[in-house]
Amino acid sequence: MPPRSDVGLRSIASAICNGGWPASLEFDESRARLAVGDYLNEIVRLDLSATTGVRHRPGAVRRLMRSIARNVSAEAKSTTLAADAGGDTPLSRATVRACLDALERVFVVEDQQPWSVSLRSRATLRRAPKRHFVDPSLAASLLRASPERLLADPETFGVLFESLVVRDLRVYGGALGAEVFH
């Protein structure tokens, strides 16, 4: 008989929303989610400008991060993110690229590169990377997700679960010098 786990879907949804931040692992759900929201506010308000030296419009950065959250675990191109985040007036490609670079520099967003069997395959050049937040709780917070809302939306739960798995594989694989591709 295969081993059984006491971990249910509700606990996984909670892990996605609360995140794996060491300081908040002992927090209750509402306090953990509040900490994630506060962290996102600090990224938008201070971290990007302090790191890049370029002033970013906080509203545009937050909309872009929300667009990344909507497209997490997907091969979303910069043009898709620009149109999505800009509303009636799409953000420029240069703005999106600068914000994505800044978010990567402050370790908020990571790209997952495509994988190919063949060493010289063009597939890796044609396919876009999948974008993930360093912790799926950032995407969940931007989407205003709670464990209950995730359980009611299996598609969103699925892409955030994929992002959770990628995060954990990167952590464990990184210790061995391994990379995670899609």
Side-chain angles (χ1 to χ4, degrees):
M1 177 184 284
R4 293 195 41 88
S5 172
D6 292 335
V7 177
L9 289 178
R10 174 63 170 77
S11 343
I12 295 170
S14 181
I16 288 169
C17 292
N18 297 349
W21 309 100
S24 63
L25 289 176
E26 301 302 318
F27 292 169
D28 63 42
E29 283 187 2
S30 62
R31 188 169 174 206
R33 290 201 310 264
L34 183 62
V36 173
D38 287 346
Y39 179 54
L40 284 166
N41 289 335
E42 290 304 303
I43 291 165
V44 170
R45 197 170 67 83
L46 295 173
D47 287 356
L48 290 185
S49 295
T51 302
T52 63
V54 177
R55 297 225 2 111
H56 297 284
R57 294 183 329 226
V61 172
R62 184 167 286 283
R63 285 192 315 275
L64 177 62
M65 289 195 322
R66 186 159 161 76
S67 178
I68 295 167
R70 287 184 65 247
N71 293 285
V72 77
S73 302
E75 295 178 49
K77 295 183 178 172
S78 295
T79 52
T80 301
L81 299 175
D84 196 25
D88 294 337
T89 317
L91 299 175
S92 73
R93 290 176 74 184
T95 298
V96 170
R97 188 71 254 155
C99 285
L100 286 172
D101 288 345
L103 290 168
E104 287 174 19
R105 272 187 275 176
V106 295
F107 304 102
V108 173
V109 174
E110 295 178 315
D111 285 349
Q112 182 185 13
Q113 298 301 323
W115 179 75
S116 174
V117 176
S118 174
L119 293 175
R120 295 181 11 185
S121 172
R122 286 185 294 206
T124 56
L125 300 174
R126 291 182 182 158
R127 295 185 65 192
K130 286 186 176 186
R131 261 189 204 89
H132 295 276
F133 283 94
V134 294
D135 192 283
S137 63
L138 298 173
S141 180
L142 288 160
L143 296 173
R144 297 176 184 90
S146 65
E148 290 72 30
R149 289 185 76 191
L150 286 180
L151 291 169
D153 184 348
E155 187 174 337
T156 302
F157 191 173
V159 295
L160 290 176
F161 178 72
E162 177 182 341
S163 198
L164 176 74
V165 170
V166 168
R167 180 203 67 191
D168 289 353
L169 287 174
R170 281 182 166 158
V171 169
Y172 297 126
L176 303 170
E179 295 180 69
V180 180
F181 295 94
H182 76 85

